[in-house]
Amino acid sequence: MVNGQGHGGTDGYGAPPPQNPYGQAPYAQNPYGQSPYAQNPYAQPVPPPQQSYPPQQPYPPQQPYPPRQPQPVPPQQAHPSPQQPYAAAGFGTPPQPGVGRPGGFPGPAPRRNRVAVLVQFLLQWIYAPLWVLGLVLLFIVLIFADYSGGGPSSDGWLKVNRSFIPPRRLRAELTGRPEHWERYVAPILARRIAAAEATHAAGGGEVQADLGRVVRTRLALRLYRGLGAAGVVRLAEQHGWHGVASGTDAGHVRLARHFPAPATPNAPSPQDPPAAPGTPWGPQPVRFAPLLPFVFLLQIVYVPVYGLLTFWVNRPEPDHWDRWGARWTVGPRAFRAEFTNSPAAWDRHIRRILQRDTKRTGASSDGTRTPDGTLVHRIRLNRATYRGAGAHQALRIAAEQGWTLDPAYTPDPANSLRLCRPDRP
């Protein structure tokens, strides 16, 4: 009878394996450590039971399957990977779906009066257009009046959108059922999360001490009244986000997500040979020199128009204006460098911009602190600063002043160059 040892050490009937996987002698004792049998039951047949258990002792003293005592897990080994990014970002332990949270998120808010909701829904088709028209007229008056004050934000000017009830929300307001509110909130939340993640992909977010970045978003109470902040957090956890305590702001639910630091950037060192022209890190083609004066004059007209068109539009890219300006505008400082396309002129222009940004960051206390408490300043050079010299040349000049590539961002030399420097004397 084949004992099974001829097939790579597989177990057979009647012969022990060549190596005990439990690190003990073959069947010297039960590998589970709890067995009424002293020997291997396969090597020595088990005698048939001939006596019953005595009634006064229904269970033998040595139980074949004693209850297993749970082993305590050290705190430092309990869920190490999920907690690290949250702890580094200052959020504590990541929330678990469906589990009560410390200082938990509030549930559904009180329902509004259905008659008031119907009246508002009917009247909004009259006052909403008049409201928007009044805002447009006010904006035109401020332009011609040469108004230079700060003024309210665009969101404050367009408060009409806060009092407008779309037809999709009307049913949820009237019924008050959580499932109707969830169907209304879910697509809105998905769009907000997608926009926030697009902001992170374009370089947005708050840099943390672990070089990761945190992006945030929030929803107003009118969007989730019948679902509650706890329901919104539950939906957000399905996208990898978590809730953040709103503090005294009971009219919003705040959400955040921590993105880890990018991998080691694939970028040249300042000591490497200069990058070849046309490559991402090398010099880029400059624009036709005779057209630059016309571009310089025309931008006085179309730049304000562009600003008016995008006044109420939230771009997902935080540096969209710099990226757009680097392609369609020319600044007075970069005009001479781009017009002559001289390496010396480009180097002088890069040094001027670095000197300006260094003074700005040195005069402010904004920045991220390392675990040892060192303040780190960050700047960004857009493409217009180093177009004709190349991102590698700008990196070489910045290294002379102590600036290095920021490890919290993926290098994007075709659009901008992000640098960092510790604030040390």
Side-chain angles (χ1 to χ4, degrees), residues 7 38 54 65 68 74 85 90 142 145 147 152 175 178 188 214 219 251 278 295 365 387 399-400 425:
H7 298 277
Y65 298 99
R68 184 178 180 182
L142 293 178
Y147 177 74
T175 61
I188 298 177
V214 173
L219 290 180
V295 173
S365 59
R387 183 199 303 267
E400 299 174 359

Side-chain angles (χ1 to χ4, degrees), residues 209-228:
D210 63 344
L211 300 180
R213 283 180 286 155
V214 173
V215 291
R216 307 175 189 271
T217 188
R218 67 177 187 172
L219 290 180
L221 178 62
R222 67 180 185 275
L223 302 177
Y224 62 90
R225 178 183 300 275
L227 189 62

Side-chain angles (χ1 to χ4, degrees), residues 74 130 171 198-199 201 241 251 267 269 283 295 314 327 345 352 363 384 403 419:
L130 297 178
R171 181 183 181 185
T199 300
W241 287 59
S269 172
V295 173
N314 293 326
R327 289 172 171 81
R352 282 198 302 265
W403 295 95
L419 306 173

Side-chain angles (χ1 to χ4, degrees), residues 304-323:
V305 174
Y306 175 83
L308 292 176
L309 294 177
T310 60
F311 187 72
W312 287 297
V313 177
N314 293 326
R315 302 292 304 184
E317 300 87 357
D319 58 345
H320 176 76
W321 180 267
D322 293 334
R323 294 186 178 189

Side-chain angles (χ1 to χ4, degrees), residues 39-65:
Q39 298 181 0
N40 181 8
Y42 296 98
Q44 180 178 356
V46 180
Q50 297 180 357
Q51 59 181 6
S52 60
Y53 294 102
Q56 67 275 12
Q57 188 177 357
Y59 300 99
Q62 190 176 12
Q63 301 179 11
Y65 298 99

